[in-house]
Each structure stands twice: as structure tokens, then as C-alpha cells.
Amino acid sequence: LVIHPPRGLLLPGLAVFLLLPPSPPPSPQKPRPPLKTLALEFAPAGPPSRSVRAPPPLRMASSTAANLWVLLGLGIAGVLLAAKRLKRPARPDHGAFVSRLELLPPPQPPPPQARHPLTDLCFAIADAFHVSGYITSFGSLEWAKTHDAATQTSLVVSTLVDGGAICVGKTVIDEMAYSIHGENKHFGTPTNPAASDRVPGGCSSGSAVAVAGGMVDFALGIDSIGGVRVPGGYCGVLAFRPSHAVISNSGVIPVAPSLDTIGWFAKDPIVLRRVGHLLLKLSYTDIRLPRHFYIADDCFEISKIPARRLTQVVTKSVEKLYGRQVLSHVNLGNYLASKIPSLRNYSNGQKNGDSKFSSLQALSSAMQLLHKHEFRDQHNEWINSAKSAVDASIVGNLSDDGDSTINIVQDARKEVRLALNTLLKDDGILVIPTALGCPPKLNARELSSTSYNAETLCLQSLSSMSGCCQVTVPIGTHDKCPISVSFIARHGGDRFLLDTTQAIYATIQEQVEILAKSNPSSKEAMNEEAAEAAKEKGNSAFKEKQWQKAINLYTEAIKLNGKVATYYSNRAAAFLELANYRQAETDCTSAIDIDPKIVKAYLRRGTAREMLGYYKDAVDDFSHALVLEPMNKTAGVAINRLKKLFP
């Protein structure tokens, strides 16, 4: 019997075998023939673009009416079962796993001893961690073919299992853990549970997907240049990169040892903290409260998501828990430029100050050079032996350009760690965007865009190069995609960062819900998006020194949404370039009325007032900028200059 199912119910290869009684024998004297086996085959349905043909007549093995009804009933039942089965996801694990396994914890200790700290939790590990008896594929089928099974289990995996957790499988990573997008031609790209048409982020894509999809309580990944932080942000889960070298990498395939860390994902901040306390061997002592939250304004300005959407949730949460006095703003690019002389070697031909992101870009360039250099040292011999099977983007990026300056890069690592440790001390948190914007769509052009990747890596380079600890914190959605911010604490401040994350997480999610419920009307939302687009165009015109064009675009943004201080402040900067000091002063005052903490508006109004001859007012503005941003060199230099001229 051949049954053509309705279009969309194709189940290739499904066959139902029925044992049917034969037709009655012609006479009682003749023996009954043996039972016949009849296969019900589901013929493939045509493609969607073709019309559905009427099914052919039923070809029956028996002509009796009884057999006809039995066959018809069972055939319909088979179609219904097929339809029910096809309603399930094509990949029930979202393609997160390379292999399934089970590593069980030891028995619980007898009372009165405490139970294992991770009892009742299950976890997965990225396929760069060795497990005894299993081949570690490192994101590559060719790697798996040319390497033997591991003889020892990774130390961090053993620690977690001994701590009471069950390891249930290995997860997909980018090929050789080299990218941050989450794509893999060998095992397939895991499906992002939070946005199925977007990349999950990499390199630890499968681990982030396994947590986001609820398949495990937590998962391990590796992070060199964002391999845990980026997928955490793209999949909307918590992701922790610990301080460099505080957790042993024994039993993990290296990528770039100077940058490599073992990180982990979780949905629950309590689980995130429990895992951290075990791996970092931390004691449960009194929680130290944060005294400073530094909002890195220049980092939020490069984000493709409106800065206010990202920072509003954090600032309101911090104000509610710790008070407004702990909040301050910092221009991180300027701060790093003054503290890290080694970065001048990686400014891509730009002098510090020519671009407001030049120091961050220089740090990113240094990180990429170090990453490439150490990756090549680790794996170049194998890549040369299997070059045809390795992705061309990896092979083509392994030139030895810049190797002569590796010592300078290592100097930059030391300098940036010292700079951030000096800024944050023991009780400070730096707040930055986790990624450049929403996760890119699958196969999007930006995935291969040099400029897009460079800007994304600017944000990742801070922790990668300094070795500081960082946590990705989801803050809802934008355009139906997960978005997040990151908190960074000094190197060695892991317990402080984990404790702070647990303490503030619930308040952040409350603020996310409040913001979602207070969403403006669709017209207002459209105006806000149009205003942001006009501002971005204005910024581009400003960079090209097209001052009047920039003013016109900022004016357009203000007409669409006059509640954003940045629009007025940016227009004031353009007015200053045209020596229109009176209008610049007015715009800065408008910006400050909207946001009393906008440092740039105080600096620009101070400049305008100085040029107008209002020296005392100018000193007041520069002094206020220093209160908000104590290390602002522009304000300090201006005050010293004015006091010398007008003591």
C-alpha cells in the first residue's frame, strides 16, 4: 500500500510492516497459505513549489473489504503518528552536542559531613576538554581522525564531578576554537534558542546553547578572545570569564595560552556562583559591597544598540541597591591612552586622540596579534599537515606579520592589567556592552566584515589582555534578540564579581520587566529608532569634518526625540568647530538639564564659556566634570590653564 501524506508530513524512510490474514482458501481441504508481510511506505511529498498530485489508487494485496478497512485505518494512524513526530524540533538538543556521555559523582559522604556542593546539578563541556577514553575533536572532524582518545580527564572536569555534578556530554565549538561567531562546518552551527535565525556566538557555542535550551544547569567553555562572553550575550545567559591563570588549564587543548581561560555558563546566578566557588576554591566569607560602578561611555557609544537602552537598567538597579553616589562615568579610551604607552605601537597609523576609540582599537590589534602568534605556535605543524581540511579563514590568518613586536604586546598586557587594577581597586566594577549589538543573522555579511569584527573585539580585548574577570549579564531583548552588558572586576576579584552578580541580578531583571511594560507606542519607538539613525549619520559626518552636515543631522535627531542628552551634546561639539560658542553653550545646558551626569556636555560648555570670556563659569564646568570623572585629563588641564591665566 502506498500512501501519499499531505505536504509537510514527509518522513523519509518510514515504513510500517503489517501482518495480514490472507484471503480464505477456496475449499476447507486446502491448507491455509502462510501469513503475508505488507509494507506501508510513505512516498515522498513533492517540493512546496509543485502542485500536489492526487494519490494513486490503492494497490491492495487482498481484495476483501475487511483487509481494505484494516489497511486504511492503520495507514491513517501511521500518517498521524508521523505528523505527531514531525512536530518535534528537528534537532531536540538544538545541535549543541557533539557526543553524549555520563560521568557520575562519587557517593555522598556519610553524615554529619556536608553533601557535595554541586549535588543535583548536571553540566556539559566544550569539546576542547579531555575526557579519558574519548577523542577530543576540537571542533574539527579531521582533528578527531588524527588524534587518539584522551588518557586522562581534564582537571576542571574531574573537580566538578567530584563536587557532585554529573557531566552529560561534549558540546560543539568553532573549528579549533578560533572564531567568536559559533559557526562550524563539521558539526553544524548550534541553533540559538533565544533567536533561531541568529548565530549563537563562539567559540563555546554548544555550551551556551545547552544552557539556554535548558538541557543542563551549567556548562564549561573556553575563552581566549570572547569565546564564553560573546555566546553568553548572544544566547541570553550568564557567562563568567575568570581572572587569567586562576584555574588550571590542564587537560584542555590550548588556543593562545596568554589569553586562554576556562569559563562557564548558567541561567541562575546562584549556580554560577556555586560553580565558581568550587573551581576557584573560594571560601564563603562576608560579601564585600561595591563602592564604584564605572559606566564606560565611549564603549557604549560604539554599540549598535541605543546606549540608554543598555545603561538604563544597570543605573536604576545600582541606584536602588547601592545608591546614586556609587555611579560614575569614564572615557575608557582616554584613560587607557594615558596609562598604556605600549598601545601607541598598535594605533594603525592614528595618533591618540585622532579617533575616540583609537586606544581601544590599538588594544584589540595587540590582542589579535598575540592570539594569532600563540595559536600558530601551538597548532601550525598540524595545520600544515591537514591544510586542505582546515577552514581557509584560519589558514589565511596565520602569517608571521608582527611577530617581531610580540615582546611589546606582552608589555601592553602588563600595563593594561595595572591600569584596570588601579581604576577598579578592590571594590570597583567597570560596565561595558558585551558585544557590538544584537547577534548577527546566520550567514550575514557582517560575520565576514573586518570592521565589524574589529569593533566587536575592541570590547573583548579589555579582559583578554588585562586578565581581569568579567561576567556577561543578560538585560532583556532588543528587536526580539537577547542583549547584555558586562561587569569587569580587577584581576583576582573573582569572588567579589560573583557575589555582586548574584546580589544585583534579581534587581536587574525587575528593571528589565519594568522597562518592557513601559514600552512606548509604535510611533514613538519608530521615532526613537529614526533619531538614533540620524545621530549615527551625524557622527559619521563629524568624523569627516562636515560640521554643518553633522549639525543638520543632530537637529533632525532632536526633532524626532528631544529627550536624549547625547544629541544636544554632539551638536554642541559641531557648533564649537564652527566657533558658534553661544549655540554650543545653549545645547550643552539642554543636555545637562536632561542628564546631569553627562561629562562631555560640561567639558564642551566649559570650552564655550572660556571662549566667550566667562572664565569663572568655565572653571565651574571643568570642575564639575572632574567630580564626575576624576581622571579626566582634559578637565584638569583646562582648570590649570585658567587658574594660571586668571588666578
Side-chain angles (χ1 to χ4, degrees):
L1 174 64
V2 178
I3 298 177
H4 287 263
R7 183 166 41 189
L9 295 182
L10 171 63
L11 189 63
L14 175 65
V16 180
F17 293 92
L18 305 176
L19 295 178
L20 300 175
S23 303
S27 67
Q29 290 77 22
K30 293 184 180 180
R32 295 173 62 88
L35 293 175
K36 298 179 181 179
T37 301
L38 180 63
L40 300 184
E41 177 187 355
F42 289 90
S49 59
R50 298 169 58 188
S51 61
V52 181
R53 295 179 297 174
L58 299 175
R59 299 191 297 275
M60 302 201 59
S62 171
S63 61
T64 64
N67 284 346
L68 173 62
W69 287 109
V70 169
L71 288 172
L72 185 60
L74 290 172
I76 292 172
V79 171
L80 294 175
L81 287 172
K84 184 177 180 181
R85 179 178 176 182
L86 286 171
K87 287 181 180 178
R88 301 173 187 170
R91 299 194 296 178
D93 65 356
H94 298 282
F97 286 89
V98 171
S99 61
R100 295 280 190 166
L101 51 87
E102 192 173 61
L103 301 180
L104 298 177
Q108 295 290 343
Q113 297 182 60
R115 286 159 58 87
H116 296 311
L118 300 184
T119 297
D120 299 329
L121 298 180
C122 66
F123 71 103
I125 56 176
D127 198 21
F129 292 81
H130 292 315
V131 173
S132 181
Y134 291 82
I135 295 175
T136 307
S137 69
F138 201 33
S140 166
L141 290 175
E142 188 65 22
W143 182 281
K145 291 177 184 176
T146 55
H147 288 77
D148 297 328
T151 57
Q152 287 187 321
T153 298
S154 166
L155 178 60
V156 68
V157 176
S158 298
T159 300
L160 293 169
V161 173
D162 290 343
I166 301 173
C167 182
V168 298
K170 287 192 168 192
T171 57
V172 176
I173 61 172
D174 289 52
E175 185 175 354
M176 302 187 75
Y178 198 76
S179 172
I180 59 169
H181 299 311
E183 298 176 308
N184 188 300
K185 68 179 182 182
H186 300 280
F187 298 100
T189 300
T191 302
N192 186 339
S196 59
D197 62 334
R198 308 276 177 153
V199 296
C203 65
S204 306
S205 52
S207 289
V209 166
V211 170
M215 291 167 269
V216 291
D217 298 299
F218 68 95
L220 295 182
I222 52 175
D223 189 313
S224 302
I225 57 171
V228 167
R229 294 161 287 166
V230 171
Y234 284 179
C235 293
V237 297
L238 290 159
F240 191 82
R241 173 194 162 101
S243 298
H244 184 259
V246 299
I247 296 177
S248 171
N249 286 351
S250 175
V252 184
I253 299 176
V255 180
S258 294
L259 306 173
D260 291 350
T261 58
I262 293 170
W264 56 95
F265 305 89
K267 279 187 173 181
D268 187 340
I270 297 176
V271 172
L272 191 82
R273 182 171 177 258
R274 286 170 64 187
V275 173
H277 273 251
L278 180 64
L279 293 181
L280 297 163
K281 302 177 182 178
L282 302 174
S283 60
Y284 285 86
T285 58
D286 292 339
I287 294 176
R288 184 170 67 251
L289 296 179
R291 294 185 178 180
H292 301 281
F293 277 85
Y294 297 101
I295 310 294
D297 290 330
D298 52 332
C299 292
F300 283 100
E301 285 182 7
I302 67 174
S303 173
K304 305 299 182 184
I305 299 168
R308 187 168 178 270
R309 169 64 185 89
L310 293 171
T311 59
Q312 183 179 7
V313 169
V314 176
T315 55
K316 288 186 177 297
S317 300
V318 170
E319 287 176 0
K320 181 177 180 180
L321 285 180
Y322 306 110
R324 183 175 295 181
Q325 73 281 356
V326 305
L327 281 166
S328 56
H329 295 255
V330 62
N331 185 304
L332 198 59
N334 289 345
Y335 174 73
L336 294 178
S338 66
K339 298 288 184 179
I340 310 175
S342 300
L343 289 182
R344 295 168 191 155
N345 297 280
Y346 300 94
S347 58
N348 295 324
Q350 293 179 332
K351 296 179 181 178
N352 287 324
D354 288 352
S355 168
K356 59 184 174 182
F357 310 123
S358 61
S359 58
L360 293 175
Q361 291 168 342
L363 186 63
S364 174
S365 297
M367 178 191 74
Q368 292 175 69
L369 177 59
L370 181 60
H371 179 246
K372 179 178 71 172
H373 173 81
E374 293 193 347
F375 180 86
R376 188 177 65 248
D377 281 353
Q378 295 289 331
H379 304 300
N380 197 45
E381 183 177 346
W382 181 83
I383 289 174
N384 286 333
S385 68
K387 187 172 292 186
S388 60
V390 180
D391 192 276
S393 63
I394 298 176
V395 177
N397 199 33
L398 296 183
S399 66
D400 57 2
D401 298 342
D403 281 6
S404 59
T405 61
I406 285 299
N407 289 336
I408 301 176
V409 174
Q410 295 291 4
D411 290 340
R413 285 183 65 225
K414 298 173 185 176
E415 291 168 0
V416 71
R417 177 179 297 185
L418 178 61
L420 288 182
N421 283 354
T422 301
L423 172 67
L424 300 175
K425 299 183 174 63
D426 292 330
D427 52 11
I429 298 286
L430 179 66
V431 185
I432 65 169
T434 301
L436 197 58
C438 293
K441 290 187 176 181
L442 294 165
N443 303 314
R445 290 182 182 177
E446 53 198 330
L447 294 173
S448 57
S449 166
T450 302
S451 60
Y452 179 87
N453 289 321
E455 288 182 330
T456 300
L457 291 175
C458 279
L459 298 170
Q460 309 311 314
S461 65
L462 291 166
S463 289
S464 290
M465 288 294 282
S466 68
C468 291
C469 50
Q470 178 175 335
V471 62
T472 295
V473 181
I475 55 168
T477 60
H478 180 76
D479 289 342
K480 299 181 180 179
C481 292
I483 56 175
S484 64
V485 294
S486 278
F487 297 160
I488 298 175
R490 64 166 292 155
H491 182 270
D494 303 78
R495 184 173 73 87
F496 167 65
L497 185 57
L498 286 167
D499 291 348
T500 301
T501 301
Q502 181 176 328
I504 200 174
Y505 184 77
T507 305
I508 285 178
Q509 299 314 309
E510 287 174 7
Q511 293 299 323
V512 168
E513 291 182 11
I514 292 171
L515 184 63
K517 290 177 182 177
S518 62
N519 272 346
S521 66
S522 58
K523 183 177 180 180
E524 288 180 56
M526 289 176 62
N527 284 345
E528 288 180 1
E529 289 183 10
E532 276 296 308
K535 183 207 76 173
E536 291 298 328
K537 292 178 182 178
N539 291 347
S540 298
F542 190 92
K543 290 178 184 177
E544 296 169 3
K545 299 184 179 181
Q546 299 177 8
W547 315 124
Q548 190 57 54
K549 182 179 178 182
I551 288 170
N552 294 340
L553 288 164
Y554 292 137
T555 301
E556 180 183 343
I558 291 168
K559 288 179 179 177
L560 290 166
N561 182 11
K563 300 178 182 179
V564 180
T566 303
Y567 302 164
Y568 291 96
S569 180
N570 286 5
R571 189 170 70 174
F575 278 127
L576 285 176
E577 295 293 342
L578 294 178
N580 192 338
Y581 304 121
R582 184 71 64 186
Q583 187 59 51
E585 180 191 26
T586 302
D587 272 356
C588 288
T589 300
S590 298
I592 291 167
D593 288 342
I594 296 170
D595 181 4
K597 294 181 179 179
I598 184 165
V599 176
K600 289 182 179 178
Y602 286 105
L603 295 174
R604 289 164 184 166
R605 190 170 71 174
T607 301
R609 286 176 169 177
E610 180 182 354
M611 301 306 295
L612 290 168
Y614 305 147
Y615 303 118
K616 184 179 181 302
D617 292 337
V619 170
D620 289 343
D621 279 335
F622 291 129
S623 298
H624 204 112
L626 273 181
V627 170
L628 293 172
E629 200 174 281
M631 287 164 288
N632 191 291
K633 290 184 67 176
T634 302
V637 170
I639 290 173
N640 291 334
R641 181 181 66 249
L642 288 171
K643 286 185 175 179
K644 287 179 181 178
L645 291 174
F646 309 99

